[in-house]
């Protein structure tokens, strides 16, 4: 399993880029989208979500789900969208760099 | 926003969903729940984490920043000390000067709507301030349009005596009935004058100063209505003035009496100081224009010869009070502002150097997720903390500087006694600290931490280096301007002090006194006192020569006579205008030898000249030449009040100070018995005011005691002020000396800071380029070549600073012109002295780092890479 600490924020925001979602949905999505390779710790996910909310990269509101349960939905703010775009670029170049280094070695 | 229940509900939802998912996988209800809970982990702990995300607010992160900043400063004590020292120097000197000039330039005067108040009158060569004779004042008061109210008081605050148990010498002013209401002042106790009190021969009433009420009457709340004895006459106190009351001329007055102008009889009357409150929307210039016709009409009261020399003057009350202190105030404020600017540039430079060495640290923090805003805030927090520490240290410095100012300051700086580090000044200091914190914090803060900094390459700092060099050049430029200004003032001071005054001031003790109105209103009584005093002084051992006069140099005599009103034997009457006012003194024979004034022709007065029937006078050299351009003055006769024979001509004395040419003057001999001249008892003090000059080789303090004893024997209640001639003359250059001293101090601070700054930049440059220097040396560069390399870099920006400084000096000295004496603003010799001094200091500052560069060991330097 890959260590997720530094990239968790990137994954959360990327997930929310597809549309508003609640914490469980985000965790599920990351796991599914990575074919089960990445698994998010709940102990990191929820504090991270609330930090993003405080930093105004996401906004949150209580909504009722399809099966009539109240859930806290997170949504990307314009600032979050901008941050995400930049982080994705950085990530791409870093991934490329790391990839090259690994291949070289 | 989010409370405990919300967190719990959010977590429960998650667990429920997970459990549902597990159940769908075919596990039993209980097991599904249990495993979902286990997977989630410690819910309470996570809930706590979530909560903390929200309470980590601005304040908390500020505290975090502060802790971080403090740790950083503690790790680099030298940096911190230098920065705080620079900030304290800048902020402290600025605060001290501000506390003084604030009272002069900015702070509102203690009157309601003080900006609507003005002073108006005629300006004539007699007086540097505008005045108005009562006859003209009556017309102006009646016909004026631009003011809601005009008021006056009789020029000069006269001495008067509180004559009851423990007599006290007081200052008494005579003010018009509407004086307080025009200035918007009301008594704290009792009432203002009524219209019935400000009439000729009205009731004897007075308003009392708060200070007198406090010190002498123990704040007696029943003082209104009580009677006190002034000069032996009962006076009823009607009210007490507020504690912050001051006369518009800043003269000290303990009691205000009604002026009681008599419109029917006062036609040739007294000189008044006139003040007015402008109507709303009327400017000073408009008011002056509106008063011009009235002024022209009232020229009829001015003697015809005088008319050309008289003008109308209207100015704001502040200008009236500040007089000529305005330019000096702005120059000093500008100078400390410049010091503050240098200090800021200096600290910015230090911070930039520090930022360069912290690039890696900041880059690491950025990589760990600190946003750019967060990093800028961190940097700004650090600089603001520096600013605040500098501000606190600056306050201490300001306190010390202010005490120094007050002890060194010459007389005549308005309101200096009130200057203090009060809340307003402290607020200014705080604002100054924050502003300078921001100013020197901007440069380092906007430097964006870049990822490449992590690579350890050294190319990233180039742009920043350029900024640092510019800051350095700026500091040199500003210090050059300060040095030039200080140099000009010093040269001017030197010129002033080298002007011969025309007297020998050493070993001359002075005593000044004003005989009380009550006991000495008749000239016979005055003569009796002065004759006895003369006899007693002559008997004091160690008294060489001495004189009693109505006035002493340096200051024009207190009496003047128009040249046109004199008659010179054998010459036609003077008919070209007034001929100006010729000042004269009423002296005893010892005057010239006591003051060391040489006799140019003829002889000095002798005791024989005082014999009944004899009548003699003496002229100053300038006056003698003016009256008798082609012949000897001695033996000629002149009529002033009575005919007198000129017995001698005395050398000129610069009475108006070294800045003014010697004015013509003449001397009348004081006799032992009343004569025509001693009958002229002009208000406010007649001949009761007298001054004694004693030449002695005895220790001044001992002699002062002896003199006081003689006075006490004659009149125990008479206050006598003992001084020295040296002090009297020295006072004339006090103001220029004070200005020159302060500006030199600030220029010194500026240069010191600039030198520290230059040294810092050079040292940093050398440290940064150690490797490069190593390579050059390895490739065969000699230490001399390296020295040249480093020094030429320093020389480059020093030169840039010098050029900018020269340009700035040309502008700055223009503002200084009115404070200069005998020195042109473009005087090249000041530059010729100042420039080498500055360059030498710059070279010294650059020398140590350069030496270090030249001694770089190539092996060591290259090993670092």
């Amino acid at each position: 399993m890959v260590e997720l600490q530094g990239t968790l924020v990137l994954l959360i925001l990327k997930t929310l880029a597809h549309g508003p979602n609640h914490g469980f949905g985000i965790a599920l999505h990351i796991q599914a989208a990575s074919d089960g390779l990445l698994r998010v710790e709940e102990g990191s996910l929820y504090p991270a979500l609330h930090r993003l909310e405080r930093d105004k990269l996401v906004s949150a509101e209580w909504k009722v789900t399809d099966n009539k349960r109240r859930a806290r939905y997170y949504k990307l703010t314009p600032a979050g969208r901008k941050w995400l775009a930049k982080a994705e670029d950085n990530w791409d170049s870093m991934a490329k760099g790391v990839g090259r280094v690994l291949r070289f070695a | 926003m989010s409370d405990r229940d919300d967190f719990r509900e959010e977590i429960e939802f998650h667990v429920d969903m997970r459990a549902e998912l597990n159940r769908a996988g075919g596990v039993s209800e209980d097991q599904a729940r249990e495993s979902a809970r286990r997977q989630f982990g410690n819910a309470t702990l996570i809930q706590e984490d979530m909560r903390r995300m929200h309470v980590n607010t601005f304040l908390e992160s500020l505290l975090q920043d502060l802790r971080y900043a403090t740790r950083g400063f503690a790790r680099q004590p030298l940096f911190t000390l230098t920065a705080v020292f620079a900030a304290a120097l800048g902020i402290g000197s600025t605060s001290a000067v501000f506390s003084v000039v604030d009272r002069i330039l900015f702070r509102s005067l203690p009157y309601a709507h003080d900006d609507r108040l003005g002073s108006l009158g005629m300006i004539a060569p007699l007086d540097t301030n505008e005045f108005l004779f009562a006859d003209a004042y009556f017309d102006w008061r009646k016909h004026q349009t631009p003011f809601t109210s005009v008021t006056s008081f009789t020029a000069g605050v006269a001495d008067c005596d509180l004559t009851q148990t423990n007599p006290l010498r007081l200052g008494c002013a005579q003010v018009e009935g509407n004086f307080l209401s025009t200035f918007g002042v009301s008594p704290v106790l009792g009432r203002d004058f009524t219209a019935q009190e400000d009439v000729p021969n009205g009731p004897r009433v007075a308003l009392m100063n708060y200070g007198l009420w406090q010190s002498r009457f123990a704040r007696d709340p029943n003082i209104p209505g009580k009677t006190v004895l002034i000069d032996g006459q009962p006076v009823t106190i009607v009210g007490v003035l507020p504690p912050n009351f001051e006369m518009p001329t800043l003269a000290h007055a303990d009691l205000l009496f009604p002026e009681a102008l008599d419109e029917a009889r006062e036609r040739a009357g007294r000189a008044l100081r006139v003040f007015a409150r402008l109507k709303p929307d009327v400017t000073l210039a408009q008011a002056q224009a509106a008063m011009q016709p009235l002024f022209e009409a009232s020229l009829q009261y001015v003697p015809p010869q005088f008319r050309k020399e008289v003008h109308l003057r209207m100015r704001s009350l502040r200008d009236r009070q500040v007089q000529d202190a305005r330019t000096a105030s702005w120059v000093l404020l500008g100078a400390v502002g410049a010091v503050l600017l240098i200090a800021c540039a200096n600290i910015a430079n230090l911070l930039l150097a520090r930022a360069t060495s912290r690039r890696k640290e900041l880059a690491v923090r950025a990589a760990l997720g600190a946003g750019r805003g967060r990093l800028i805030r961190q940097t700004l927090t650090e600089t603001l903390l520096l600013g605040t520490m500098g501000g606190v240290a600056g306050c201490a410095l300001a306190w010390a500087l202010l005490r120094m100012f007050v002890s060194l300051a010459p007389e005549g700086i308005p309101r200096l006694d009130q200057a203090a580090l009060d809340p307003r000044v402290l607020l200014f200091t705080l604002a100054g600290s924050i502003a300078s914190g921001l100013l020197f914090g901007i440069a380092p803060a906007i430097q964006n931490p870049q990822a490449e900094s992590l690579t350890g390459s050294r190319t990233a700092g180039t742009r920043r280096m350029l900024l640092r060099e510019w800051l350095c050049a700026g500091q040199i430029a500003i210090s050059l301007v300060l040095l030039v200004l200080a140099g000009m003032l010093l040269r001017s001071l030197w010129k002033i002090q080298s002007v011969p005054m025309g007297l020998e001031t050493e070993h001359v003790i002075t005593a000044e006194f004003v005989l009380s109105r009550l006991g000495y209103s008749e000239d016979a009584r005055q003569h009796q006192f002065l004759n006895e005093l003369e006899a007693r002084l002559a008997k004091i051992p160690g008294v060489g020569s001495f004189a009693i006069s109505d006035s002493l140099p340096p200051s024009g005599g207190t009496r003047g006579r128009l040249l046109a009103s004199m008659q010179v034997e054998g010459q036609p009457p003077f008919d070209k205008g007034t001929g100006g006012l010729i000042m004269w003194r009423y002296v005893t024979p010892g005057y010239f030898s006591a003051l060391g004034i040489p006799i140019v022709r003829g002889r000095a007065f002798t005791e024989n000249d005082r014999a009944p029937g004899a009548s003699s006078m003496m002229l100053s050299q300038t006056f003698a030449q003016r009256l008798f351009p082609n012949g000897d003055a001695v033996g000629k006769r002149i009529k002033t009040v009575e005919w007198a024979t000129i017995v001698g001509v005395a050398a000129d004395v610069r009475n108006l100070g070294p800045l003014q040419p010697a004015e013509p003057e003449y001397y009348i001999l004081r006799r032992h018995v009343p004569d025509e001249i001693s009958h002229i008892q002009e208000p406010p003090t007649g001949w009761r005011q007298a001054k004694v000059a004693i030449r002695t080789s005895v220790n001044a303090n001992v002699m002062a005691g002896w003199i006081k004893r003689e006075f006490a024997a004659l009149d125990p209640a008479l206050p006598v002020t003992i001084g020295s001639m040296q002090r009297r003359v020295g006072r004339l250059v006090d103001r220029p000396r004070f200005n020159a001293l302060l500006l030199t101090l600030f220029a010194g601070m500026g240069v010191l800071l600039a030198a520290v700054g230059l040294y810092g930049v050079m040292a940093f440059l050398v440290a940064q380029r150690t490797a490069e220097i190593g390579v050059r040396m390895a490739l065969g560069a000699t230490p001399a070549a390296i020295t040249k390399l480093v020094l030429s870099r320093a020389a480059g920006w020093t030169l840039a600073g010098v050029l900018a400084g020269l340009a700035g000096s040309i502008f700055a000295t223009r503002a200084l012109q009115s404070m200069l004496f005998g020195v042109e603003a473009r005087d090249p010799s000041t530059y010729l002295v100042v420039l080498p001094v500055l360059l030498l200091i710059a070279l010294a500052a650059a020398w140590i780092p350069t030496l270090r560069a030249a001694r770089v060991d190539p092996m060591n330097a290259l090993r670092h890479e």
Side-chain angles (χ1 to χ4, degrees), chain B residues 420-569:
Chain B
L421 295 181
D422 58 10
R424 185 175 148 113
V425 174
L426 291 178
L427 210 67
F428 171 84
T429 309
L430 183 72
S433 315
I434 292 176
S436 47
L438 289 177
L439 199 62
F440 56 64
I442 283 172
I446 53 174
Q447 302 278 342
N448 198 7
Q450 289 148 350
E452 59 183 303
S453 309
L454 280 172
T455 62
S457 106
R458 292 180 181 215
T459 51
T462 322
R463 200 159 42 103
R464 199 176 317 214
M465 203 58 219
L466 203 63
L467 179 62
R468 300 195 59 195
E469 290 176 12
W470 275 116
L471 281 173
C472 220
Q475 292 181 55
I476 288 173
I478 299 174
S479 0
L480 178 61
V481 175
L482 284 178
L483 273 182
V484 167
L485 294 188
M488 295 261 177
L489 285 184
L490 282 174
R491 265 178 61 82
S492 169
L493 178 67
W494 182 73
K495 287 221 165 173
I496 292 170
Q497 283 178 324
S498 60
V499 171
M501 294 292 294
L503 348 124
E504 285 167 33
T505 56
E506 280 127 62
H507 311 301
V508 180
I509 294 176
T510 62
E512 302 178 25
F513 58 92
V514 182
L515 296 171
S516 73
R517 195 194 309 254
L518 182 60
Y520 303 90
S521 58
E522 287 165 19
D523 54 343
R525 182 73 191 88
Q526 293 164 14
H527 271 90
Q528 189 194 339
F529 179 92
L530 293 174
N531 287 339
E532 281 178 34
L533 179 66
E534 240 187 291
R536 280 173 177 274
L537 290 178
K539 281 187 204 140
I540 297 179
V543 167
S545 47
F546 72 94
I548 301 177
S549 168
D550 62 320
S551 61
L552 285 177
S555 79
T558 48
R559 323 240 156 207
R561 174 169 280 273
L562 291 179
L563 182 58
S565 71
M566 297 181 201
Q567 266 177 272
V568 180
E569 196 179 45

Side-chain angles (χ1 to χ4, degrees), chain B residues 255-277:
Chain B
L255 291 173
L256 303 186
F257 287 92
E259 193 171 28
L261 289 173
D262 186 346
E263 201 160 343
R265 298 180 49 208
E266 204 108 28
R267 277 289 151 189
R270 33 188 152 161
L272 306 177
R273 300 284 183 210
V274 179
F275 300 90
R277 183 173 286 281

Side-chain angles (χ1 to χ4, degrees), chain B residues 87-99:
Chain B
L89 222 53
I91 294 170
S93 47
T94 311
S95 299
V97 168
F98 179 78
S99 70

Side-chain angles (χ1 to χ4, degrees), chain B residues 656-695:
Chain B
L656 302 179
L659 305 186
Q660 307 287 335
E663 290 281 316
E665 65 180 324
Y666 65 95
Y667 303 89
I668 299 284
L669 185 61
R670 184 194 284 271
R671 295 197 180 100
H672 289 296
V673 290
D675 57 12
E676 276 206 62
I677 291 172
S678 66
H679 284 319
I680 316 169
Q681 293 285 334
E682 279 174 22
T685 52
W687 295 113
R688 287 183 289 117
Q689 179 172 336
K691 295 184 163 78
V692 177
I694 297 166
R695 180 168 290 279

